[in-house]
Amino acid sequence: MARPSATGRTTCAWQIPFAETIDDRAKKYVVSSTLSEVDWNADLVRGDLGPAVQRLKQESGAGLWVGGVTLLLALAEQGLIDEYEFLVQPVLAGHGPTLLAGLRERIQLGLVDRHELRSGAVALRYRPA
């Protein structure tokens, strides 16, 4: 079974071509306060984020994948993330959004798993400590 995924409105806009190529069985959710509808096999999530995400976590049973800098920050601030997965690429960009910029309080994490890829990238999985 494919894991459901959720993205913010901005991430959704540039991911549509990508999303159309991934497994259509994966349920997709777009979190937005400005959109009135979404397509490409997705449901729109509006309103209070906390209860909506708790409901989705209970319904899916397989966990949710999240994309988007703004959505990630909102979920982290509310303590709604059970596990963080980071893919560290061996490239320095020097620009772009900073992950979790503006986080009000530190979140201590404990390493759960680490996997080195042939490309030189490292996949890291953490849980809040």
Side-chain angles (χ1 to χ4, degrees), residues 36-74:
S36 59
E37 62 183 47
V38 293
D39 54 13
W40 53 274
N41 187 31
D43 286 341
L44 182 60
V45 177
R46 300 184 66 134
D48 192 357
L49 189 58
V53 170
Q54 292 291 7
R55 180 181 48 81
L56 292 175
K57 287 168 70 173
Q58 290 173 356
E59 286 177 6
S60 75
L64 299 167
W65 292 94
V66 176
V69 176
T70 306
L71 177 58
L72 180 62
L73 179 60

Side-chain angles (χ1 to χ4, degrees), residues 5-12 15 29-32 40 65-68 71:
S5 65
T7 61
R9 178 191 52 82
T10 304
T11 301
C12 170
Q15 279 188 336
Y29 303 92
V30 176
V31 179
S32 175
W40 53 274
W65 292 94
V66 176
L71 177 58

